[in-house]
Amino acid sequence: MSAGILDGRAVAAGITERSIERVGELARTGGQRRLHIVTATTDPSSESYVRALTRYGTRIGVRVTVERLDEGAPAETIRRALASASADPSVHGVMLQTPLPAGVSLQQVATAIAVDKDVDGANPLSLGTWMSGGAGFAPATAAAVIELLDHHGVELAGARVTVVGRSPVVGKPLLHLFLNRDATVTVAHSKTKNLAAATRGASILVAAAGSPGLVTGEHVGDGAVVVDVGTNYDAFGRLSGDVDAGSVAPRAAALSPVPGGVGAITTALLFRNTITGLAARRPTEPAAQTTTEPAPVPVPH
Ligand code: NAP
């Protein structure tokens, strides 16, 4: 047996096409939608992600503004920036880029993002909202895992799911997203004794540990669907996931590649949230002059 591919790029292409249509409709009824990114890092992979978001926004017709704070910015400064963007009626989505300055935690600052503009589900209040069936957004990466599985017709109701990782941005929200879809969920983490025992019985296995090649064939039951969220760069800048595809592919029914799996969908979802959320449905107003936009970057094809 060799695993089928869970193609994230195809999922992203479908979402992008629908978003372009929606942006066109919004433009006819009241102006351009806007995503505002607050960043306090010069980490190269973060910078590259912010540039990719800006390019994607240009492609679908959403304005992206980037507010660059000092790398040592204290929590209060970050909170002020997030609160100010949240209060700005010309902004429809607010996103906080990580990593954060040393000593600042996401929990400390993300409550300053208004829930109706929290397009990456960073505010813990958003979690409470969507978990109980309200209008808040789940973190885009966690939501991307569900989109990927849905697109490929993987049945979630009744599935035995193991998620490796329990971070507030991936593992924990996935626990609730899967539960909301009637799956039975196990969450493993670094203190889990005997990881393979926690993963082998899973019909769906999600690896979100940030540890290259952590999940090998011995962790995977025959016929499992394996989703690799890991995005790990080595010293030469090469990207790999958390799954050792060579040993997993012969056992799995399907596997998501890195790149081209979950990561491809995350950006599309951030923008879909920006143009479909409650804030996007209100009429727009002129932009406040408090932000800087990065220089345009050529779009690779
Ligand atoms: P994180 O905050 O570092 O959390 C990692 C989680 O994995 C923790 O819960 C940790 O356990 C667990 N873990 C680490 N090593 C483990 C091991 N050997 N065995 C079992 N569990 C282990 O990372 P994150 O932000 O959730 O991100 C996870 C991965 O997804 C990273 O590679 C990241 O780059 C990637 N990611 C991708 C996207 C995207 O595709 N757009 C977005 C976000 C993240 P403890 O809680 O016990 O420490």
Side-chain angles (χ1 to χ4, degrees):
M1 187 167 67
S2 185
I5 290 176
L6 299 172
D7 180 1
R9 291 199 174 111
V11 183
I15 297 170
T16 300
E17 199 177 308
R18 290 187 292 280
S19 291
I20 289 170
E21 281 169 24
R22 168 89 182 133
V23 167
E25 287 161 16
L26 287 168
R28 283 192 288 280
T29 58
Q32 196 176 29
R33 274 21 182 199
R34 174 177 164 207
L35 173 67
H36 186 76
I37 303 170
V38 174
T39 177
T41 176
T42 53
D43 170 70
S45 58
S46 289
E47 295 265 305
S48 140
Y49 186 49
V50 169
R51 283 197 299 275
L53 289 173
T54 307
R55 285 197 298 270
Y56 185 90
T58 305
R59 183 171 154 212
I60 70 163
V62 170
R63 183 173 174 225
V64 178
T65 45
V66 183
E67 185 169 355
R68 295 182 188 283
L69 304 177
D70 195 79
E71 269 197 299
E76 201 36 52
T77 305
I78 299 172
R79 286 186 61 84
R80 255 202 312 276
L82 296 171
S84 151
S86 294
D88 183 341
S90 77
V91 171
H92 306 89
V94 177
M95 199 196 122
L96 175 62
Q97 182 59 32
T98 55
L100 297 171
V104 177
S105 72
L106 189 64
Q107 286 76 2
Q108 259 179 305
V109 292
T111 49
I113 305 174
V115 168
D116 63 342
K117 298 185 182 182
D118 185 18
V119 290
D120 202 14
N123 186 338
L125 293 173
S126 293
L127 175 82
T129 313
W130 62 259
M131 242 174 64
S132 50
F137 295 115
T141 304
V145 172
I146 304 295
E147 290 278 339
L148 182 68
L149 294 168
D150 280 344
H151 177 91
H152 289 88
V154 178
E155 180 69 50
L156 303 187
R160 294 181 313 280
V161 178
T162 297
V163 179
V164 183
R166 58 174 167 181
S167 75
V169 290
V170 193
K172 277 184 188 153
L174 268 175
L175 161 65
H176 298 290
L177 288 170
F178 278 119
L179 267 181
N180 284 358
R181 295 287 298 274
D182 300 322
T184 303
V185 193
T186 299
V187 179
H189 46 79
S190 69
K191 308 290 185 298
T192 298
K193 290 184 178 136
N194 195 347
L195 182 62
T199 57
R200 254 195 314 257
S203 55
I204 299 173
L205 173 58
V206 181
S211 178
L214 173 70
V215 171
T216 63
E218 66 152 331
H219 296 94
V220 177
D222 285 334
V225 171
V226 180
V227 179
D228 192 352
V229 183
T231 309
N232 310 299
Y233 290 92
D234 69 13
F236 304 102
R238 287 178 303 219
L239 174 62
S240 68
D242 286 354
V243 173
D244 172 43
S247 62
V248 167
R251 310 200 67 158
L255 172 62
S256 72
V258 177
V262 173
I265 307 169
T266 306
T267 299
L269 286 185
L270 278 172
F271 281 87
R272 186 174 77 182
N273 292 348
T274 302
I275 61 176
T276 58
L278 274 181
R281 286 181 238 152
R282 292 184 205 117
T284 54
E285 291 181 23
Q289 298 299 311
T290 54
T291 59
T292 54
E293 289 177 63
V297 180
V299 182
H301 291 286

